[in-house]
Amino acid sequence: MAPSAIDPVSSSVTAPSPNTPRILIPEKLSPEGLALLSSSGFHLDIPPPTKVTASLLSAGAKLKVVARAGVGVDNIDVKAATEQGIIVVNSPSGNILAAAEHTIALLMATARNVPRGDQTLKQAKWERGKLVGVEVGGKTLGVVGLGKVGLKVARVASQGLGMQVVGLDPYASADVAKGAGVTLVGSLDELLPQVDFLTVHTPLLASTLNLLGEEQFKKMKSTARVLNVARGGVYNEEALLKALDEGWIAGAGIDVFTQEPPKEGSVPLKLAQHPKVVSTPHLGASTVEAQENVSIDVCKQVVEILKGGLPTAAVNAPLILPEEYRRLQPFVKLVEKIGSLYTQHYATTTTSLSNSHRFELTYHGDLASVSNTRPLFAALVKGLVSSISDAGGRDVNIVNATIIAKDRGIAIDEKHVSSSSPSSSSSTYASAVTLRSITTDGDNSQGREQIIEGYVSGNAVFISKLDKFAANFQPEGTLLILHNYDEPGKIGNVGMVLGRHGINITFMQVAGLNQEARRAVVDGPVDTENGLKEALMILGVGGEVTSELLEELGKAEGILDVSVVRL
Ligand SMILES: NC(=O)c1ccc[n+]([C@@H]2O[C@H](COP(=O)([O-])OP(=O)(O)OC[C@H]3O[C@@H](n4cnc5c(N)ncnc54)[C@H](O)[C@@H]3O)[C@@H](O)[C@H]2O)c1
Ligand SMILES: O=C(O)[C@H](O)COP(=O)(O)O
């Protein structure tokens, strides 16, 4: 397992009996957790800190669990652990209060020049005139990412400090945001010009890396100050340096960097040393209380797992027990892929995961007779949130799926239908799954409906329907999904754009209207010719899909919309 706060030198190193489970603790972990482990009869080895790499993992022939006493699992090769069947657990909530309070500390420190006041006075300089600050009460705070930390910061700022709080999180529940005193906006463009302070609380994902760069800083008030107690890289550090040097913004409070500790001469160190920056060395979770919380959290899980029980916060644990696993495993994979496809394809383009969102998950055929569908339910929640939370949503499991769904305002009804295939399907599969989502917005009580269907063949999973389009592809890797008019030349145009951006196509499929949709077009009031020409182009691609590429594809002739999905 990982972190600890006990002195490696003083730790017991007496040889354990061959049957005593051994626990390796290559990181700081507070004594409360260590006491839990040793009182459970385990032998503790405490080497110097190290990363949990693939080779370290494979050296542990009997290794069952790796624990991270915190949220981020950046120092663990989770993929390798998963491949080797090793459970990785973390503490998703133990240091939330600490991180939120540290954000408030940096907010006040940047507003009132606290560190410079202290530094200069220690040098016997009395620089009152140079250190006039600004008040935060009545000012506007922008919060990007309204998860556990972001919401806490928002509550303190609005209820405690009297700030106006404006939030941006495409996946946040509107009701929860309102309860925290946050006015939601739909884009950074809308948020940035109005804020006096900006704080980011997203995980570091492909979609949040460099979320704020030169273009964004230029849109802010020159008096604005920005904060980062999330992860280094959400602000582009070079752009932030430039924004401070050029006076596009007034200051920054930074706890996290792209390189920790930052090396001599590096951009992160220049940022930390900048006169307009208040910096701390990743102290967000460094409180006695938080270290105790995370230590107890993960050590309890380690004890439970080694006794054969279930973790409460498994980053990668198999979602089901061994006897259920064999039967459900491919469907767990299918449902998780369907959920992830839904969020990435639909939730980002047409709607967000919010309170006004209802899902219906239908099990068809043999699958309809399964009574314990908790693993499938958990797999759907995991898939839905996987692209929008820390550690890729891997901390969702059968224990916490219901709570996470509730927190996110996701309502899921499960249905069992014994006919072997969905009624819309032209092929027959022994077992299949349909996800139907209904989003109601504003006065439109009828709502929008979206459908994804899939099936399992052997151990491989397939998507057979995306809304009105009959598809048949494996949801793996990076996919581009283009909604287009199915006319000559479209494929060639798209291929040329991809070629210009150095993107390889690994497979391609044109998904036309399914029978039901074709009938509706022919019988209905829609312009038959154009209606029948709609199709989806599904491309498996290799190479980096940039926002410029997506923009170019979106503008290509005959393309109605485009999304990128990483599965
Ligand atoms: N500095 C520290 O010591 C410290 C301590 C704890 C947590 N953290 C970090 O703080 C961050 C937030 O942690 P958390 O527990 O609140 O995570 P969380 O998963 O509870 O919340 C993250 C939120 O970000 C939102 N989000 C994802 N992509 C977004 C986007 N493109 N735009 C806007 N919002 C987006 C998600 O919907 C979610 O609501 C994480 O990066 C975590 O690692 C740092
Ligand atoms: O990932 C986390 O929990 C926080 O960033 C804190 O990390 P730390 O435990 O390394 O301080």
Side-chain angles (χ1 to χ4, degrees):
M1 69 168 279
S4 127
I6 115 170
D7 175 2
V9 180
S10 65
S11 67
S12 149
V13 284
T14 51
S17 86
N19 295 329
T20 308
R22 298 176 68 161
I23 300 181
L24 194 67
I25 306 172
E27 196 183 8
K28 284 185 93 182
L29 186 75
S30 80
E32 296 75 12
L34 289 175
L36 251 167
L37 296 177
S38 34
S39 67
S40 301
F42 302 126
H43 178 84
L44 312 186
D45 289 317
I46 306 180
T50 182
K51 284 200 167 196
V52 184
T53 59
S55 58
L56 187 137
L57 290 168
S58 48
K62 291 192 287 179
L63 189 57
K64 284 195 170 56
V65 53
V66 175
R68 168 77 237 283
V71 186
V73 286
D74 333 33
N75 57 347
I76 301 168
D77 190 334
V78 177
K79 187 163 174 278
T82 308
E83 279 160 11
Q84 294 175 41
I86 298 163
I87 300 176
V88 178
V89 297
N90 71 349
S91 172
S93 310
N95 57 28
I96 299 307
L97 180 62
E101 288 185 356
H102 195 67
T103 310
I104 300 294
L106 286 182
L107 169 79
M108 297 310 303
T110 52
R112 301 303 296 270
N113 301 310
V114 176
R116 272 190 66 197
D118 176 62
Q119 258 167 27
T120 45
L121 190 51
K122 284 198 164 82
Q123 294 161 2
K125 295 181 197 156
W126 191 255
E127 296 195 335
R128 290 182 74 194
K130 287 187 187 169
L131 298 176
V132 177
V134 291
E135 291 175 7
V136 302
K139 298 281 169 51
T140 300
L141 172 69
V143 182
V144 178
L146 289 163
K148 297 184 286 293
V149 180
L151 275 174
K152 213 167 256 301
V153 169
R155 275 194 201 100
V156 176
S158 69
Q159 293 160 18
L161 300 175
M163 299 184 80
Q164 319 292 330
V165 183
V166 189
L168 173 66
D169 185 332
Y171 316 106
S173 149
D175 286 350
V176 175
K178 197 169 161 202
V182 180
T183 307
L184 281 178
V185 295
S187 68
L188 272 179
D189 282 354
E190 201 180 331
L191 182 91
L192 296 175
Q194 49 177 313
V195 302
D196 300 295
F197 295 87
L198 177 74
T199 183
V200 290
H201 297 286
T202 67
L204 186 65
L205 305 164
S207 55
T208 56
L209 177 68
N210 298 324
L211 189 65
L212 287 108
E214 284 193 22
E215 189 190 328
Q216 286 69 33
F217 292 124
K218 280 183 186 161
K219 289 184 178 149
M220 299 182 73
K221 294 180 188 174
S222 59
T223 50
R225 289 159 171 85
V226 301
L227 309 169
N228 190 357
V229 184
R231 279 291 181 266
V234 178
Y235 297 118
N236 179 295
E237 289 174 332
E238 288 194 26
L240 179 52
L241 263 182
K242 194 163 175 190
L244 293 164
D245 284 338
E246 302 285 327
W248 300 337
I249 60 170
I254 309 287
D255 183 50
V256 283
F257 301 87
T258 52
Q259 186 182 59
E260 294 181 0
K263 292 207 175 88
E264 200 56 51
S266 67
V267 171
L269 192 60
K270 282 184 191 150
L271 195 56
Q273 292 172 334
H274 197 283
K276 292 181 183 168
V277 174
V278 176
S279 55
T280 48
H282 203 142
L283 292 185
S286 293
T287 63
V288 173
E289 295 85 350
Q291 291 305 307
E292 190 177 317
N293 290 342
V294 294
S295 169
I296 292 174
D297 247 16
V298 296
C299 289
K300 271 188 182 163
Q301 294 188 73
V302 168
V303 171
E304 195 55 35
I305 291 165
L306 292 181
K307 282 186 189 158
L310 281 171
T312 50
V315 168
N316 69 339
L319 294 167
I320 45 182
L321 297 171
E323 59 275 18
E324 294 164 319
Y325 189 76
R326 267 187 302 281
R327 179 164 185 205
L328 286 187
Q329 200 272 341
F331 290 96
V332 167
K333 184 173 169 192
L334 172 65
V335 172
E336 188 181 330
K337 296 273 185 188
I338 287 179
S340 184
L341 177 58
Y342 176 85
T343 300
Q344 296 184 67
H345 180 53
Y346 293 124
T348 50
T349 53
T350 51
T351 181
S352 66
L353 295 175
S354 72
N355 270 355
S356 53
H357 220 116
R358 205 158 51 74
F359 292 96
E360 203 176 81
L361 185 61
T362 308
Y363 311 116
H364 303 269
D366 295 349
L367 202 55
S369 64
V370 173
S371 53
N372 175 14
T373 54
R374 280 194 66 74
L376 297 168
F377 177 94
L380 178 60
V381 177
K382 183 171 161 164
L384 287 171
V385 305
S386 65
S387 55
I388 55 171
S389 59
D390 240 333
R394 285 167 296 211
D395 49 356
V396 181
N397 58 35
I398 46 174
V399 180
N400 60 14
T402 312
I403 299 169
I404 290 178
K406 192 162 169 259
D407 285 353
R408 294 251 171 204
I410 299 171
I412 302 170
D413 293 328
E414 292 174 283
K415 284 175 76 179
H416 298 246
V417 174
S418 52
S419 64
S420 55
S421 279
S423 58
S424 62
S425 173
S426 52
S427 314
T428 306
Y429 314 113
S431 294
V433 174
T434 305
L435 177 70
R436 185 165 159 261
S437 90
I438 302 143
T439 322
T440 47
D441 51 2
D443 302 333
N444 183 3
S445 56
Q446 293 260 297
R448 269 193 309 270
E449 183 185 86
Q450 278 131 357
I451 292 182
I452 305 180
E453 275 170 13
Y455 68 97
V456 171
S457 173
N459 266 339
V461 308
F462 292 85
I463 299 299
S464 50
K465 183 178 180 193
L466 264 175
D467 278 345
K468 55 188 176 182
F469 301 102
N472 194 19
F473 66 93
Q474 288 189 262
E476 301 283 348
T478 304
L479 306 181
L480 284 172
I481 302 180
L482 297 106
H483 182 191
N484 61 296
Y485 283 123
D486 190 13
E487 292 163 348
K490 295 290 158 300
I491 296 175
N493 288 348
V494 169
M496 277 182 16
V497 176
L498 293 178
R500 269 204 303 281
H501 285 259
I503 299 290
N504 262 343
I505 301 178
T506 52
F507 80 87
M508 196 202 129
Q509 176 170 122
V510 175
L513 293 179
N514 63 17
Q515 282 174 358
E516 230 178 354
R518 294 184 81 81
R519 262 197 308 276
V521 173
V522 174
D523 299 343
V526 185
D527 169 3
T528 305
E529 211 180 313
N530 274 336
L532 284 176
K533 278 184 182 165
E534 277 188 55
L536 285 187
M537 217 187 285
I538 297 148
L539 298 156
V541 293
E544 199 198 341
V545 177
T546 58
S547 47
E548 291 79 30
L549 168 64
L550 291 176
E551 203 176 313
E552 210 176 314
L553 285 172
K555 284 182 188 154
E557 200 202 325
I559 303 295
L560 299 169
D561 57 60
V562 55
S563 70
V564 60
V565 174
R566 294 177 180 91
L567 296 166

